[in-house]
Amino acid sequence: MPPVSLRLLFLLLPLVFMAGCREMQSDYRRPPAMPPAAVAMPAGIGFNPGGPELASYTDATGQYPLASRRTWWQASHSVDGFSRLDQILPANMVAKADAPSLWRRAASEPTITYATQQTGSRRLTIDEYLARNPATGLLIARGDTIHVERYQYGRTDVHRLTSFSMAKTVTALLVGLAVADGAITSIDDPAERYVPGLKDSEYGRTPIRHLLTMSSGVRFDEDYSGRDDVSRMVAAMMFPQAPGGPAAVRQFNQRIAPPGQRWSYASAETQVLGLVLRAAIKRPITEYLSERIWKPIGAESDASWVVDASGQEATFAYFNAVLRDYARLGMLLANGGKVSERQVIPADWLREMTRAHFTSTQTGRWFGYGFQTWIFPDNDGSFALLGVRGQAIYVDPARRLVMVHTAVRPQARDPGGAEATALWRGVKAAFPKVSP
């Protein structure tokens, strides 16, 4: 396939599904793009119909443009596109709990301040953060209590906000459950044991363990240059007449290092994990996610996951959920995989997921890396689920503390992510550790 510019790829991505594809039926109703002040909001939630750099996200009439299959990735349409992706692209549903778990709400927001290299000794507040950064949602929770819940750009608590690569960590959680269930015999098995379509390929010969840590040793360039391999993979998954399934990743078939030796970020590794998972459990991944995680955490809303041309969930990205359910997921992880006294995620699997199999020195990034999870270099047990253009769940088990952040940052590699991490450090400083 000839190189495809990343800009063109994502402009065309919404067109990639054939006209006859069934679109997901959803119970979601989009509120007005710019709700009037009279619209009632749930108590305790901060709501801003605007946001910073508003002209970049609105049309000539001051409204948020309705995104389409052609435009949803464009910054100008991302407010709508990133909060309605499952109505734009085909997706499978993740059923919510029959009875949602209940959040408490703090009587008032805590005093949280933070500083950046640019501000020096001057401390900034949450209000200042939101005035400087294109966050669509920000939620801070400790234990069973929400301390901060804010929305911008007309988004509300009913919007399913997309995750991008936060979905990778969700995939790793499900792989761990499949191991516990015996559907995956061992993470030392090669991927081809479960996916015949990968037989005799380099990804097929790679043990699941090294796919989990992004260390397959298979060449895959993901640098957002516009001519990288992630562009080719998405094209093979989602362009018109694309094969999807194993063929989308089988095209990357050059080994440059033995498995487990070298870390290299590659969305293809997560997509291979998704193929293994789907083959092992013998049903849609979304059904498994609902049964094993979404319902146990008491999710209040259905979630969704975009699927490729073959019907396979795009497990490297495109999972969508409301902000409070992302917080429930984060709190599950902060509580060691437990909901009350029920062990939802095996404790030993979660420990392996959230320790640095590769250090920040080895990754060449500020974070270390576990099983599809970013590990803070503080070595204090904290970790993060991170997605391109500003999506994140930060987790500190020692404080039972979670911060969920969704955004419409205009660039794939946006320096604003450093400020979000600085805010997280300020959040941690405002809450003491929980006694063992």
Side-chain angles (χ1 to χ4, degrees), residues 212-336:
L212 285 163
T213 58
M214 296 281 189
S215 61
S216 71
V218 176
R219 180 184 292 281
F220 187 90
D221 298 322
E222 187 162 348
D223 58 10
Y224 305 102
S225 66
R227 297 177 178 273
D228 59 358
D229 289 334
V230 73
S231 301
R232 295 172 57 204
M233 183 181 76
V234 172
M237 291 175 66
M238 298 179 173
F239 268 29
Q241 311 304 318
V249 292
R250 191 181 175 98
Q251 62 181 313
F252 309 107
N253 203 36
Q254 180 185 0
R255 184 168 297 283
I256 58 175
Q261 183 181 91
R262 181 187 305 178
W263 185 89
S264 181
Y265 190 79
S267 287
E269 320 243 323
T270 321
Q271 193 59 25
V272 175
L273 288 172
L275 292 166
V276 169
L277 178 63
R278 174 66 181 83
I281 62 176
K282 297 179 173 59
R283 55 178 166 145
I285 290 170
T286 44
E287 287 185 12
Y288 194 59
L289 171 57
S290 174
E291 176 189 310
R292 299 305 305 276
I293 296 179
W294 217 239
K295 289 183 176 181
I297 65 174
E300 66 185 75
S301 297
D302 294 339
S304 62
W305 213 326
V306 169
V307 297
D308 75 4
S310 74
Q312 165 75 37
E313 288 85 353
T315 47
F316 71 96
Y318 309 141
F319 178 73
N320 312 284
V322 301
L323 210 64
R324 286 193 294 269
D325 284 342
Y326 279 131
R328 287 180 171 94
L329 175 65
M331 200 57 67
L332 170 70
L333 306 182
N335 288 329

Side-chain angles (χ1 to χ4, degrees), residues 119-157:
T119 62
S121 61
R122 186 170 76 88
R123 308 284 296 179
L124 303 175
T125 65
I126 287 178
D127 285 339
E128 289 174 298
Y129 178 85
L130 291 170
R132 292 160 54 94
N133 291 273
T136 50
L138 178 68
L139 189 153
I140 298 166
R142 176 181 169 96
D144 63 356
T145 302
I146 293 175
H147 291 266
V148 175
E149 186 175 355
R150 305 276 201 96
Y151 298 89
Q152 298 199 117
Y153 300 110
R155 302 308 90 185
T156 76
D157 59 340

Side-chain angles (χ1 to χ4, degrees), residues 63-77:
Q63 301 295 305
Y64 299 113
L66 193 67
S68 69
R69 296 186 178 195
R70 183 178 61 84
T71 63
W72 71 267
W73 179 257
Q74 298 175 20
S76 59
H77 289 69

Side-chain angles (χ1 to χ4, degrees), residues 66 118 162 170 172 180 199 207 236 241 260 291 305 323 345 353 397 401 404 425:
L66 193 67
Q118 289 72 33
T162 199
V170 177
K199 190 171 179 57
Q241 311 304 318
E291 176 189 310
W305 213 326
L323 210 64
I345 305 296
M353 278 187 60
L401 188 64
V404 184
R425 290 189 176 281

